[in-house]
Amino acid sequence: RFIDEIISTIQEVQVRERLKKDVEQMKLQDPNFRPGLVVLQVGDRDDSNLYISMKLKAAAEIGINATHMRLPKTATEEEILHSITEVNENSSVHGLIVQLPLDSIHKIDTEKVTNAVAPEKDVDGLTSINAGKLARGDLGDCFLPCTPNGCMELIRQTGVSVAGKRAVVIGRSKIVGAPMHDLLLWSHATVTTCHSKTTDLPGEVGKADILVVGIGKAEMVKGEWIKKGAVVIDCGINHVPDETKPSGKRVVGDVHYASAKEQAGFITPVPGGVGPMTVAMLMANTVLGAKRFLESHQPGKWNISYTKLNLQKPVPSDIVISRSCVPKPIDRLAREVGLLSDEVELYGKTKAKVQLNIIKRLQAQPDGKYVVVTGYAVSSFICCTVLFSLLRIPAFVCNVTFFISSSGAAGGGYSQVIPMEEFNLHLTGDIHAITAANNLVAAAIDARMFHESTQSDKALYNRLVPLSGGQRKFSPIQINRLKKLGIEKTDASTLTEDEITRFARLDIDPSSVTWQRVLDTNDRFLRKITIGQSPTEKGYTREAQFDITVASEIMAVLALTSSMEDMRQRLAKMVVATSRSGQPITTEDLGVSGALTVLMKDAIKPNLMQTLEGNPVFVHAGPFANIAHGNSSILADKIALKLVGPEGFVVTEAGFGADIGMEKFFNIKCRYSGLRPHVVVLVATVRALKMHGGGPIVTAGMPLPKEYIEENLELLENGCSNMKKQIENAQHFGVPVVVAVNAFKTDTEAELDLICSIAKAAGAFDAVRCSHWAEGGAGAVALGQAVQRASEAPSNFKFLYDLELPITDKIRIIAQKIYGADDIELLPEAQHKVELYTKQGFNNLPICMAKTHLSLSHEADKKGVPTGYVLPIRDIRASVGSGFLFPLVGTMPTIPGLPTRPCFYDIDLDPETEQVNGLF
């Protein structure tokens, strides 16, 4: 019985067929997944090329995505190590082979290079870590070297049991001999390793039931040395002279095959035998690496460590609490929630950006449960994920980025995002990117109007399409404009005079410019300005204004985009003015949309932070809710929904109350994202409801009036009318509502019970009190359980209006159903805009009402549920890139101003510790 080439080929085919089935099974789990293998070669040795071609062919047959990474002979050790690091960090690669020998003209430390391969990708099994685990017997937690593992597979195929047998290994190399000894030993054989210094080699060989030879000496082991019936595995590859062969040589093993086969019960031939099985085992290790990767990166299968809170009574200030907690390193949190190293860009130790390529990796995975939190406070939605940690359910918060000069949106007490200073200052620079992009558009508008007013058509055209190498060439963005104008030409010299005029002149009507400059600083004196006062602008002046950065349409674009390409298209569609002929002028017409995309290429990536208790938080986008839609980004929500897995929860915020943030969340954000929420969490507080019941005005910096700190059930019950209306508003969309009552130390049991009972009577799925501000997640377990139950309840999601309705009808539906108005009144400018936008084709966009958040009506001092009023619409603006029209209800400042005593009096930096003091 011989393991000849035919039998060993059958064994190899059996292994490959098994691996093919394994790969197909992985594809069923994730249709976009394929095991990945990289073979790194230095130089161009013929023998290495032959071995690599065999490996690539085998990989292709099995379904492994194999890549040959070839470095030149001039590659230095540093360059080789850099290439290995790149592959280590590539999540699509599950196996890395460094083809030996390294054929470089430079001195290379082979041991250093092989040990640079990540152990989890070391499918050759050559790193010290894998070798060490093998030596210790941790066979299930390492990669077994391919040649020894192939030998073991061949031995198993003979049917001979290894346990209890006497095995002899000739050779002690790191690649074959030493690991072969370990594998036989842990398979319960009694193993002897022989080498060049062994005194009686024939005698030792004669004792072997199993003989493995890998010493590199042609036909050294003779047949007469071998025990009758022994299993002989020949790992040798040697070339000996043979005049009968065209090459003048033939391949032989370390065993004299002709004589040995007469003694052996089983023997492997050379060539054939071990070689093909080694390649098969290499493929097996690659598939095993891919399996381990999939198993360890299943969405929702988190191995997360939560931080135990050290609760203090009375509750300290938010900043004291934030600084008392040491955040986990953000790269550790990223790993815990299933993010890969090449999907995360670190911004220091406590924050990071997440690459958008994760969407492609997880696109086949089911989404988790989607919860939107809205109402009178922000910290409840942060606590939601904290409390899910107590229930051991994966959960993600998706929060907004507030502008630097605001009071922040990091939550409070023991329910907040940390570090507070990082969250509320520059974070990762997204707001600065938006400021730069927005103001680039503003500069482009005024510069274009200036240059068009001072130049002839020909001069303008020659400067827009300058000579380069004796020719005028259009840029890609200019070709886009030509196509928009219906000019199907790419040769700049062939345009007619009329085409030159149409191309070069945007002919912007200065009075129609709607695009404003922005700044992330409270500065009341920028609310109305005059630009162009310098003599260099030749008398071209106009009135303008600054808005706060979060009011920029680019912020809304960031929040509503679904990909880099989608953002590019949205930025291009932003309408900044109207031409004198009534045509909308876009950033694409200005030629600036490509540059905007470049400025925003990092801002589009969600920012990863954490709560006090170590839960993940995405902090991304924060459009001004008075003007835009006031929600965090679609991208953050979508990525989080994949990461938590089908049983997990994503808690996202709809800012500025249920009548503004929640309505826009459903009618705008859900339209563009395609996502459907499972639950609405409506946050209520005793104090807010008392204010809606007619309580006195609260002045910042002054003590609270006694009505808010003493029990007053009548005042509270009156204010609950507003909560009932907000529950009704949520029910318009067919989603279950859970009311979370934030409890403060001055609230009484009777007050909290009253809110809960009224909420349930109004149709809420449940209403529970929460003490997360003082107790963290433990203070909101009941809320988490209620949300979990509500997510399993039937829902019938629907939008409030059809997009095809006329603009006026859509506005009227929101005013009547959400605000409780009797009707709307379009003032002349608003009526003109309805006609203009209908003519321009923007009438099918959703509506984003710009109004005060302090009342259901347009008058901030009208609390409770105002009735019997008509909602005045003074103007309508178009955010075409964002994808909505925003009617202006009443007046409101779009950039805050500084009070008499700004907080900057208290802010300073400790030069020794670099700690920020006085920020909160």
Side-chain angles (χ1 to χ4, degrees), residues 433-451:
I434 293 166
T435 302
N438 183 99
N439 293 344
L440 176 61
V441 176
I445 294 167
D446 288 304
R448 186 60 174 263
M449 288 193 292
F450 170 76
H451 290 304

Side-chain angles (χ1 to χ4, degrees), residues 353 398-403 409 423 427-428 430-431 434 550 554-561 600 603-607 618-624 629-636 652-653 669:
K353 278 193 167 292
C398 291
N399 196 3
V400 296
T401 306
F402 264 38
F403 44 95
F423 183 101
L427 197 58
T428 57
D430 294 352
I431 282 190
I434 293 166
V550 291
I554 295 176
M555 175 65 93
V557 166
L558 177 67
L560 290 170
T561 194
M600 294 293 294
I604 194 175
K605 304 166 190 173
N607 305 299
F618 275 143
V619 182
H620 198 220
F624 207 23
H629 64 293
N631 292 189
S632 58
S633 78
I634 287 174
L635 280 170
T652 193
E653 180 191 11
K669 184 175 180 180

Side-chain angles (χ1 to χ4, degrees), residues 153-277:
E153 181 67 24
L154 289 168
I155 293 169
R156 279 190 288 270
Q157 293 291 337
T158 67
V160 174
S161 173
V162 176
K165 296 294 190 299
R166 186 180 293 275
V168 173
V169 178
I170 303 179
R172 52 184 173 182
S173 73
K174 295 177 182 178
I175 297 176
V176 179
M180 191 71 235
H181 172 280
D182 293 334
L183 279 174
L184 288 164
L185 180 66
W186 295 115
S187 296
H188 311 296
T190 301
V191 188
T192 301
T193 298
C194 298
H195 43 78
S196 59
K197 302 297 182 182
T198 301
T199 54
D200 183 14
L201 185 58
E204 295 294 339
V205 170
K207 300 174 186 176
D209 302 310
I210 299 170
L211 175 65
V212 181
V213 187
I215 202 165
K217 293 186 177 181
E219 300 182 325
M220 185 192 74
V221 177
K222 310 304 181 187
E224 58 266 25
W225 298 4
I226 297 170
K227 182 179 179 180
K228 189 70 175 177
V231 175
V232 179
I233 308 295
D234 189 352
C235 302
I237 298 288
N238 307 282
H239 293 89
V240 297
D242 188 340
E243 294 180 357
T244 66
K245 301 291 183 182
S247 63
K249 56 186 178 181
R250 61 187 172 90
V251 176
V252 298
D254 291 349
V255 178
H256 189 270
Y257 184 79
S259 59
K261 72 178 183 179
E262 302 301 327
Q263 288 289 104
F266 301 88
I267 185 170
T268 59
V270 177
V274 173
M277 191 58 74

Side-chain angles (χ1 to χ4, degrees), residues 405 522 524 700-701 897-908 917-920:
S405 49
N522 293 359
R524 65 177 67 247
L898 292 175
T900 304
R901 190 187 186 281
C903 63
F904 58 62
Y905 280 96
D906 304 310
I907 297 173
D908 208 341
N917 296 320
L919 190 60
F920 303 98

